[in-house]
Amino acid sequence: MNKVVNRLFAMCLIMTSVVTVPMSANAALPFFSDDKNEVPSLAPMLEKATPAIVTISVEGTQVSRQRVPEMFKHFFGGPDEQVQERPFKGLGSGVIIDAEKGYVVTNNHVVDNASEITVTLTDGREVKAKKLGADAQSDIALLKIDPDKLVALPLADSDKLRVGDFVVAIGNPFGLSQTVTSGIVSALGRSGLNIGGYENFIQTDAAINRGNSGGALVSLRGELVGINTAIFGPNGGNVGIGFAIPSNMMKSLVDQIIEFGEVRRGLLGILGQDVDSGLAEAMNLDVSKGAFVSEVSADSAAEKGGIQAGDIITDINGIAVVSFQELRAKIASKGAGSKIKLGLLRKGKRLKVDVVLGDATQAVVAAKEIHPALEGATLSNGATKQGDTGVVISDLVARSPAAMIGLQDGDVIIGVNRQKIDNVIALRNSLDEAKGVIALSVKRGNSSLYLVIR
C-alpha cells in the first residue's frame, strides 16, 4: 500500500474522555523521582505541562464552488458557479502559550472555516474562542480565550534541537483528551512533503494520530519545541513518522498576527535549488548541503545585501541551512523588515552578509520569476471588483508568453488548479507544487474563466 501524507483532520465522533496519569510527589526534577522505591518517570514534567494542552471543538459550514460548463449555461442560463454548503464538526488540539492574555495556538486546518470554536480545558471548563488570525501556508492559527486561571507552556529554542533528543507529544487523538506519547527527534528541516506552502518540519517517532493536530511536542524539560501538524503513513494511521512545526517558526508567525492581525512575510528575492552531490560536482563545491542561488531579483533585499547568483547560502543567523526549502520557510516565517545575517560560500570563500528582508505581501514582481509561461507580465497583490484577493496582471507585453495563454491587463488570478491563492507568494508556491497541465482561475471584470498552461 502506498504511503501518503495525511493532514491530521480531527473529524471524529468518539466521545472524549480524560486519561489520567499518576504524578510523582517531586516535581522539581524533569522526570526523576527522589523516592528510591520508584522508577524514573515523566509524570512530574507532565503534571506541569498537560494543563496547557486543550481540546478544540469546531462547527461551521464548508462552501464548495464548481464551475458550470459553458454548454449548460448556454442552454439553461444561470450563474457561472454552483455553490454548495455543508455543515461540519471537528475536534483537534491546541496549546496555551500565554496564560495572561489567553493566547492559544493550533493548526489552521483545525479551525479553518469554523464559525464557532470551543476550547475545553483540562479542568473541564468549556470556553468560547475567537480566532485572531491564521496562516494557511504555514498551518498556524492563533486563538484567544478568557484568561482565567490558565497555565501556559514555556517555549524552547527549537533551533537548538538535535536528532536523538527525547520529545513527548501531547494531544487529543481520536477525541481521547490528554493522551501522551514519547519518542525522539528523528530528523530536522524536513521539506518536500507537499503538506503546506512552507515546510521546515521536525520529524519524530512519537505516536501522532488524527486529532493530535495543533497539539504540543515538548522536551523533557516541559518546554514547547513544536506544534504537531501531520503524519506520513498508509490510511492516515501512525507508523512512527510524524511532523511538527518548530516553536521558533510558530512564535515568529504568532508575533506578526498579534502585531498586525496577519502574517507579513519576509522576502529575500532569490530563485534557487538544493545543493546536492550532482550540483556540488558540477560547480566544484566543497559542501553537499545548503541553498544554491541561481538568480537574484533586481532591487530585492538579496541584491541590496550583496548576494550574487552562484552563491551557496549555508546558514541563517548562525543556524545551518540544509536545503533551499528550509531557507525559504525560515525567511517566509520572519516578518518583513527583519534583519538577518546569512552565511555564504562564494568561489570557495566563506563570508557573511547582513540583509533586511522585503515585504512579500506587497510584492510587485516580473512574472517570469514565477513561471516561464507568465513571462511578459507584471504581477502585484490586489483584489477583484467583487473583493476577492489575488494577483493582478499589469504591463502586459504583446505576443509575450503571458499574452499567448490569454491573460490581459487587469486580470486577477485567484486560483491555481482549484486551489485559492491570495497573493504573489501564494501563486509562486502553487505553481512550484503543480505538475502537468496547470489551470489558472481568473477574474476579468464580472466574468470568471480558466486559462490553461501546458
Side-chain angles (χ1 to χ4, degrees):
M1 184 176 293
N2 293 329
K3 293 182 177 180
V4 295
V5 176
N6 297 279
R7 287 280 192 192
L8 299 182
F9 290 109
M11 302 296 185
C12 181
L13 299 180
I14 299 175
M15 297 298 291
T16 59
S17 60
V18 177
V19 178
T20 58
V21 181
M23 302 297 176
S24 168
N26 177 25
L29 297 176
F31 62 99
F32 287 103
S33 171
D34 60 355
D35 188 334
K36 295 181 180 180
N37 295 322
E38 292 188 19
V39 296
S41 174
L42 292 172
M45 179 274 285
L46 293 171
E47 186 176 27
K48 292 183 176 181
T50 51
I53 316 303
V54 301
T55 300
I56 296 178
S57 307
V58 299
E59 295 184 19
T61 301
Q62 191 160 12
V63 179
S64 62
R65 290 181 170 86
Q66 186 173 3
R67 183 171 173 78
V68 177
E70 293 293 332
M71 180 178 65
F72 286 96
K73 288 197 297 179
H74 177 73
F75 285 104
F76 303 109
D80 293 336
E81 294 179 327
Q82 287 184 335
V83 179
Q84 291 184 333
E85 296 185 355
R86 295 181 179 178
F88 70 87
K89 294 182 179 181
L91 293 175
S93 307
V95 184
I96 301 173
I97 60 168
D98 190 320
E100 294 183 356
K101 296 181 179 179
Y103 291 152
V104 178
V105 171
T106 186
N107 287 144
N108 173 70
H109 74 257
V110 171
V111 296
D112 193 27
N113 296 320
S115 57
E116 185 173 326
I117 305 172
T118 303
V119 170
T120 304
L121 305 173
T122 55
D123 60 10
R125 285 181 292 160
E126 292 186 355
V127 294
K128 297 299 181 182
K130 176 184 178 182
K131 184 166 74 170
L132 297 183
D135 180 42
Q137 294 290 322
S138 301
D139 203 16
I140 283 292
L142 179 65
L143 312 178
K144 181 176 175 58
I145 61 175
D146 181 20
D148 179 30
K149 299 179 182 178
L150 301 180
V151 175
L153 205 58
L155 302 186
D157 183 353
S158 56
D159 285 335
K160 293 182 179 179
L161 276 179
R162 299 176 299 171
V163 174
D165 285 350
F166 286 102
V167 287
V168 176
I170 311 173
N172 309 295
F174 305 110
L176 301 172
S177 61
Q178 295 298 296
T179 295
V180 178
T181 56
S182 65
I184 63 169
V185 173
S186 305
L188 296 167
R190 283 294 193 213
S191 61
L193 305 173
N194 294 323
I195 297 173
Y198 299 100
E199 299 182 351
N200 175 33
F201 295 117
I202 302 166
Q203 181 182 326
T204 179
D205 65 347
I208 297 175
N209 289 284
R210 293 180 184 272
N212 271 112
S213 284
L217 191 69
V218 303
S219 68
L220 294 188
R221 295 181 180 274
E223 297 173 333
L224 182 67
V225 298
I227 301 295
N228 301 323
T229 190
I231 54 177
F232 188 81
N235 302 321
N238 171 61
V239 292
I241 302 178
F243 301 98
I245 301 166
S247 58
N248 286 3
M249 182 173 175
M250 176 275 293
K251 184 179 186 303
S252 180
L253 296 168
V254 164
D255 286 346
Q256 293 173 57
I257 291 173
I258 292 171
E259 183 174 359
F260 305 113
E262 62 181 0
V263 172
R264 297 186 177 178
R265 301 191 190 285
L267 181 66
L268 187 55
I270 62 171
L271 298 177
Q273 64 184 75
D274 297 348
V275 175
D276 55 23
S277 57
L279 181 62
E281 182 178 355
M283 299 290 293
N284 194 26
L285 304 174
D286 61 357
V287 294
S288 58
K289 296 180 180 180
F292 176 75
V293 180
S294 60
E295 184 179 343
V296 178
S297 301
D299 200 35
S300 64
E303 184 182 65
K304 294 174 182 177
I307 298 174
Q308 301 176 9
D311 286 349
I312 307 294
I313 299 178
T314 58
D315 64 83
I316 175 171
N317 293 336
I319 306 298
V321 171
V322 175
S323 66
F324 189 85
Q325 290 295 327
E326 180 185 5
L327 172 71
R328 179 171 168 267
K330 286 186 173 181
I331 292 296
S333 67
K334 295 185 180 297
S338 296
K339 298 178 181 179
I340 61 172
K341 185 179 290 291
L342 296 175
L344 304 179
L345 181 63
R346 179 182 298 165
K347 297 179 180 180
K349 295 183 179 180
R350 295 186 180 272
L351 59 150
K352 298 283 187 179
V353 296
D354 294 312
V355 176
V356 179
L357 297 180
D359 189 346
T361 61
Q362 298 178 358
V364 177
V365 301
K368 69 177 183 179
E369 299 177 10
I370 302 295
H371 194 282
L374 300 180
E375 183 176 354
T378 297
L379 308 179
S380 59
N381 297 330
T384 67
K385 294 179 179 179
Q386 296 78 20
D388 295 320
T389 54
V391 176
V392 179
I393 303 295
S394 61
D395 301 326
L396 187 67
V397 177
R399 294 184 293 279
S400 65
M404 294 298 288
I405 68 170
L407 285 170
Q408 298 180 9
D409 274 328
D411 284 352
V412 182
I413 302 173
I414 60 172
V416 176
N417 292 347
R418 296 189 180 277
Q419 178 182 348
K420 182 76 172 68
I421 62 104
D422 297 315
N423 51 47
V424 171
I425 197 70
L427 176 63
R428 183 197 295 270
N429 295 339
S430 295
L431 291 176
D432 284 346
E433 296 170 4
K435 297 179 181 179
V437 177
I438 300 171
L440 299 179
S441 178
V442 176
K443 285 284 188 180
R444 180 176 295 165
N446 294 322
S447 300
S448 300
L449 61 148
Y450 282 94
L451 300 178
V452 176
I453 300 174
R454 298 184 183 277

